[in-house]
Amino acid sequence: MSLKFDVDAPTLNRYVMNNTKDAELVLLLNSLATSFKLIASAVGRAGVAQLYGLAGEVNSTGDDQKKLDVMSNDMMINALVNSGVCSVLVSEENEEPIIVPADKAGKFCVAFDPLDGSSNIDCNVSVGTIFSVYEKKDGSVNDLLRSGAECICAGYCTYSSATELVFTFQGSTVEGFCLDPTIGEFVHTRFDMKFPADGGKRIYSCNEGNFIHWDQPIKDAVEAFKNGIDGKPYTARYVGSMVADIHRTLLYGGIYIYPADKKSPNGKLRCLYEGIPMALIIEQAGGIASTGYFEGKIGRVAELTPDAIHCKCPIIMGGPRDVGVIYDCYKKAGIETPTL
């Protein structure tokens, strides 16, 4: 019997308590996990429950909202407001921040994209949730408009053939948990996740439909990937769901590119609940999370300070081998690059 059933399952709650000794942080991650389970159920039943299609609204950044966007957002807000440990919430789906009532407020501020990649949901492509956590200072939205260096926890949950949660605490390792539907708990399945030491598979991931808008070093780097580094061409893989593309990049290696360009000079991805949390995960797994050439220099995404809750940033994320190719192209253009 013990070969089939784990009588001592290493659950998410146990991991958080053992590694932080912070009961409120356990409550926060438990509330997030509850919302992920609800979203996973809704995504899995979307066709049967007629949850495909548009909701007839637009979100904070002007994107058409899907029915599942609205539902996922409500699930996360309800779970976090009623957790008793949150003070301020920011969602991609809400134009304004959500201030938790004083009688339910706690010490954490959470920013999240409830259903990243939802434009793909009607064709059954992987989607996910991304979140970042900060500690409360004064209980206002300014608590979230801080450098990524002050983010205390970040993670994502991907909904596909399995529901996987990947997260990290500031200064710690990256850990992965898989939802076991037989017990309804996230179980620890990936330990101290790292980018492959040799760079892993030769994969580049970007929306090449934007090629004409990119700066020349980015064009040169993508051409180098296509034509081959050391005689070995790279494979193109682009899902269009950031969670899916980053999860693959973290596990297999390669590079994910969504740079600033002529069409979107500030980048396209949201800094607070996409760029910063993914940067924290990537860096603590041994990778590099760069802005590319942005605001006159090449910097780290994790050092950006959002100037608005829905502001955007460019992203180049991968291992040193592949980010180094882009940096070399910037060097040839006379742009100072960080040391890898």
Side-chain angles (χ1 to χ4, degrees):
M1 184 70 72
S2 62
L3 295 177
K4 295 182 179 179
F5 295 96
D6 190 346
V7 297
D8 190 26
T11 62
L12 174 65
N13 285 351
R14 180 192 294 186
Y15 174 84
V16 178
M17 180 56 79
N18 286 345
N19 285 273
T20 69
K21 309 300 182 186
D22 187 333
E24 289 179 281
L25 200 52
V26 173
L27 285 172
L28 174 64
L29 268 296
N30 186 61
S31 297
L32 285 167
T34 297
S35 66
F36 301 154
K37 295 172 194 176
L38 291 168
I39 295 169
S41 176
V43 169
R45 298 180 59 245
V48 174
Q50 298 183 343
L51 297 177
Y52 290 141
L54 297 173
E57 305 286 341
V58 295
N59 66 13
S60 62
T61 50
D63 298 326
D64 290 327
Q65 285 183 316
K66 297 294 186 78
K67 293 176 184 177
L68 277 170
D69 281 321
V70 176
M71 183 177 290
S72 301
N73 191 47
D74 290 344
M75 289 171 173
M76 292 200 69
I77 291 172
N78 290 335
L80 292 171
V81 166
N82 290 291
S83 69
V85 296
C86 294
S87 179
V88 183
L89 308 177
V90 164
S91 168
E92 182 185 28
E93 305 302 326
N94 292 74
E95 187 171 351
E96 299 296 330
I98 299 160
I99 306 299
V100 177
D103 61 330
K104 294 183 177 181
K107 70 176 185 178
F108 298 114
C109 304
V110 185
F112 54 90
D113 181 350
L115 202 64
D116 174 71
S118 59
S119 61
N120 289 321
I121 192 67
D122 290 2
C123 59
N124 207 23
V125 170
S126 299
V127 292
T129 301
I130 312 171
F131 66 92
S132 60
V133 181
Y134 292 77
E135 284 198 270
K136 182 178 84 169
K137 285 192 173 180
D138 60 15
S140 73
V141 68
N142 291 328
D143 288 348
L144 284 161
L145 299 180
R146 291 148 64 186
S147 166
E150 296 185 58
C151 179
I152 65 167
C153 176
Y156 63 82
C157 188
T158 179
Y159 313 109
S160 184
S161 55
T163 298
E164 282 199 71
L165 168 64
V166 174
F167 78 97
T168 188
F169 296 120
Q170 182 70 251
S172 186
T173 55
V174 178
E175 306 294 330
F177 295 77
C178 189
L179 179 62
D180 182 345
T182 65
I183 61 172
E185 292 284 353
F186 281 96
V187 177
H188 204 178
T189 53
R190 300 187 191 273
F191 302 83
D192 192 9
M193 298 171 68
K194 295 290 186 184
F195 266 89
D198 63 353
K201 294 185 178 181
R202 293 172 178 257
I203 298 172
Y204 74 97
S205 180
C206 60
N207 183 354
E208 289 194 72
N210 292 324
F211 186 90
I212 63 171
H213 303 295
W214 293 339
D215 61 31
Q216 194 58 47
I218 295 292
K219 290 180 179 179
D220 292 344
V222 170
E223 286 297 327
F225 292 135
K226 293 163 70 173
N227 294 326
I229 308 293
D230 299 327
K232 298 178 181 178
Y234 279 50
T235 299
R237 293 283 185 270
Y238 183 68
V239 178
S241 168
M242 187 187 189
V243 168
D245 283 316
I246 290 293
H247 191 56
R248 182 200 60 247
T249 302
L250 177 58
L251 294 178
Y252 292 176
I255 188 167
Y256 176 79
I257 308 166
Y258 217 124
D261 57 31
K262 297 171 186 173
K263 185 174 67 172
S264 303
N266 292 323
K268 190 72 182 291
L269 299 170
R270 283 72 180 183
C271 185
L272 183 57
Y273 43 81
E274 291 177 324
I276 286 174
M278 288 302 197
L280 187 60
I281 291 168
I282 292 295
E283 289 191 346
Q284 296 194 166
I288 296 168
S290 172
T291 61
Y293 190 67
F294 179 54
E295 296 182 341
K297 64 178 183 178
I298 296 175
R300 293 172 55 220
V301 175
E303 291 180 339
L304 295 175
T305 299
D307 57 9
I309 60 175
H310 299 299
C311 70
K312 300 178 181 181
C313 70
I315 284 174
I316 297 171
M317 295 183 177
R321 179 195 68 190
D322 301 323
V323 174
V325 174
I326 291 181
Y327 281 9
D328 286 344
C329 291
Y330 276 121
K331 286 179 184 176
K332 290 176 183 176
I335 296 171
E336 184 177 351
T337 59
T339 301
L340 293 175

